[in-house]
Amino acid sequence: MQRIIPLFITMLSAGDIRNTDFSSEFKFTTSRSGGKGGQNVNKVSTKVELHFDYMNSAILNDEQKALVGIKLKSFINKEGLLYLIAQEERSQLLNKRIAIQKFYSLLDRAFKKTKKRIATKPGKGYHRKRLTTKRIHSEKKKTRSKWQGEE
């Protein structure tokens, strides 16, 4: 008996993103980084820039591409590439790893479904507390008024 495998692409969930290998679609550029590093900072290119062409990605489907375009638009440059920078460490390899981690956490955030807020009514305790504070405030104001006694 043969098993039929559907040919449609399923939506990657936030948990599946970390298990998906996007490395073939990454493009890295390096340059000299500012900050700590002593003499090393002037000689070695430790700053890593990760570029990801999400619109031409073979891994993401159209719905996911739209989500990335909407939710991560502050990370997308004029050419339409998802653009991340890592320059925290003094090593190019460590900065490359940090950039990849940032990429996966951004995709997690983009694909995570937000829960709908359920509207609730204020409770009895809230009303009671509000009325007592109102009463106390009113009494405080009354004591500040001019005294109408004998003169």
Side-chain angles (χ1 to χ4, degrees), residues 94-112:
L94 290 176
N95 282 333
K96 190 174 183 180
R97 287 181 186 160
I98 290 170
I100 293 170
Q101 286 174 349
K102 282 182 182 180
F103 172 79
Y104 282 113
S105 64
L106 281 175
L107 283 188
D108 279 343
R109 192 172 76 186
F111 296 154
K112 190 172 186 178

Side-chain angles (χ1 to χ4, degrees), residues 71 112-120:
K71 291 190 175 182
K112 190 172 186 178
K113 301 270 186 195
T114 54
K115 291 183 180 178
K116 283 212 166 192
R117 183 185 174 277
I118 301 170
T120 58

